[in-house]
Amino acid sequence: MGATLHVCITCRAGLKPAEGAPCAGARVHEAINALAVPEGVTVKPVECLSACKNGPSIALTGPGRWSYIYGPVGEDDAAVILEGAAAYAGTSDGIVPWRERPALFRKNVIARLPAMEANS
């Protein structure tokens, strides 16, 4: 199956980072990359998910699956994000049963997008 975890690396969460310091989104990406990424999950940095008012955000996508955007997320959420990404990767349609989703994924959904249909 497999899934892609997109992490916004340009989000400043409404704050100007200290001189030379990475912005909030880049710090989330670094925290995720510091952990073991579950099998079937690919982490991909992206420059903007257009969820700026929500702070750092992530998106989960996969072929033939619903896609989700979550935020705000923080560095301390890295392990939970990967747990949720692994659950998503284990589905065929992108829908993880409500009670099996980490609380972060139940409470911080910004958007849910239907799966794209393959061209015939």
Side-chain angles (χ1 to χ4, degrees):
M1 292 184 203
T4 302
L5 171 62
H6 306 270
V7 183
C8 178
I9 59 169
T10 56
C11 186
R12 297 180 303 190
L15 305 170
K16 183 176 179 178
E19 184 72 31
C23 65
R27 291 193 311 269
V28 171
H29 183 254
E30 289 171 6
I32 289 170
N33 278 337
L35 301 174
V37 176
E39 186 175 334
V41 176
T42 301
V43 178
K44 183 176 180 180
V46 294
E47 292 204 0
C48 187
L49 289 171
S50 291
C52 308
K53 291 181 181 180
N54 294 292
S57 55
I58 59 167
L60 283 169
T61 62
R65 298 183 189 162
W66 284 85
S67 296
Y68 293 84
I69 300 174
Y70 299 99
V73 297
E75 300 157 75
D76 294 343
D77 299 320
V80 174
I81 291 168
L82 290 174
E83 175 189 338
Y88 177 88
T91 68
S92 61
D93 59 4
I95 301 173
V96 176
W98 179 258
R99 293 180 192 259
E100 295 176 24
R101 297 176 196 173
L104 177 74
F105 283 27
R106 289 192 306 258
K107 298 179 179 181
N108 293 52
V109 176
I110 295 171
R112 181 174 103 138
L113 307 166
M116 291 180 61
E117 296 179 18
N119 293 335
S120 353

